[in-house]
């Protein structure tokens, strides 16, 4: 049977391992309530903002926890007592899970993920006018127009009156406005 959910995955282990996997799952979901749960690489996987957050896996003698290399690097001293690989740590099944540490690692990954998402969004916003000619981009910058919403506060005639914006720019500007559910003023 192909495993498609975390519940199915957890149920496939002996009861003692199931309990630990469920504890780990609950710790992740409590710390990252907006994360989406799925199966990736044949193990429970959690994503936030469409990007990987953490994974876990059960084994006969340990629980594998995967918080990408950065999640492990940031907590290296606290994880030093456990067997590790790049981006992975093994928690023995004969010891209690370090749930507080796991929650702190997940929280670190949440913050890292959100920061990366903000940077990515900002980078896209900074390049919003890339389809326009260089003179048109300069004209918008000279009028301190840095976003699509600002464009919608002008009439088409006002935009055309800006030095550097020609008639060939208008269809591109209109398409940009339309893609954001906006249009020229008036």
């Amino acid at each position: 049977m192909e495993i498609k959910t975390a519940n199915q995955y957890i149920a496939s282990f002996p009861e003692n391992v199931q309990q630990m996997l469920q504890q780990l799952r609950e710790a992740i979901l409590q710390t990252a309530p907006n994360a989406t749960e799925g199966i990736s690489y044949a193990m429970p996987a959690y994503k936030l903002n469409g990007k990987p957050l953490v994974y876990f896996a059960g084994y006969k003698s340990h629980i594998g926890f995967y918080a990408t290399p950065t999640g492990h690097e940031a907590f290296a001293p606290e994880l030093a007592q456990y067997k590790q690989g790049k981006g992975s740590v093994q928690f023995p099944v004969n010891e209690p899970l370090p749930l507080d540490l796991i929650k702190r690692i997940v929280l670190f990954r949440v913050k890292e993920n959100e920061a990366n998402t903000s940077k990515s969004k900002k980078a896209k916003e900074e390049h919003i006018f890339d389809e326009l000619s260089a003179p048109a981009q300069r004209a918008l910058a000279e009028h301190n127009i840095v976003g699509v919403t600002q464009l919608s506060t002008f009439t088409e005639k006002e935009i055309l009156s800006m030095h550097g914006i020609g008639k060939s720019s208008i269809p591109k500007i209109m398409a940009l406005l339309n893609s954001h559910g906006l249009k020229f003023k008036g």
Side-chain angles (χ1 to χ4, degrees):
M1 172 176 114
E2 183 184 349
I3 293 178
K4 295 183 180 183
T5 68
N7 283 336
Q8 290 175 327
Y9 182 88
I10 291 169
S12 70
F13 287 89
E15 193 167 325
N16 68 319
V17 176
Q18 283 184 38
Q19 289 174 356
M20 294 182 82
L21 293 173
Q22 190 59 39
Q23 287 176 338
L24 181 52
R25 178 188 192 194
E26 289 171 9
I28 293 167
L29 292 173
Q30 286 171 4
T31 309
N34 295 326
T36 56
E37 181 179 72
I39 298 292
S40 187
Y41 304 108
M43 64 182 135
Y46 299 84
K47 289 184 175 185
L48 188 62
N49 301 316
K51 300 192 182 317
L53 191 63
V54 295
Y55 306 81
F56 68 80
Y59 298 94
K60 185 178 178 180
S61 61
H62 71 275
I63 305 294
F65 182 62
Y66 310 88
T68 75
T70 58
H72 298 283
E73 290 165 3
F75 294 87
E78 293 173 86
L79 292 170
Q81 64 182 316
Y82 301 103
K83 186 174 179 182
Q84 297 179 59
K86 185 176 181 178
S88 70
V89 62
Q90 297 178 10
F91 301 120
V93 295
N94 60 353
E95 296 176 17
L97 287 171
L99 294 173
D100 180 62
L101 174 58
I102 290 167
K103 287 178 181 180
R104 287 187 288 124
I105 293 170
V106 172
L107 184 60
F108 171 85
R109 289 288 299 127
V110 165
K111 289 178 180 177
E112 185 176 54
N113 182 296
E114 288 172 347
N116 289 339
T117 300
S118 294
K119 285 179 192 171
S120 175
K121 185 177 178 185
K122 186 176 180 190
K124 285 179 186 175
E125 288 172 357
E126 288 174 356
H127 297 284
I128 201 154
F129 298 131
D130 281 356
E131 295 293 315
L132 300 176
S133 66
Q137 288 180 38
R138 281 192 297 275
L140 294 175
E142 286 170 8
H143 288 83
N144 296 317
I145 299 171
V146 295
V148 179
T149 304
Q150 286 176 290
L151 277 174
S152 69
T153 65
F154 292 88
T155 65
E156 181 178 338
K157 187 176 179 179
E158 289 171 327
I159 294 291
L160 269 172
S161 71
M162 294 177 188
H163 180 73
I165 296 184
K167 288 186 178 195
S168 63
S169 296
I170 294 300
K172 292 176 184 174
I173 293 172
M174 289 175 77
L176 187 58
L177 284 165
N178 192 34
S179 72
H180 287 77
L182 300 168
K183 58 184 178 178
F184 284 122
K185 181 174 124 183

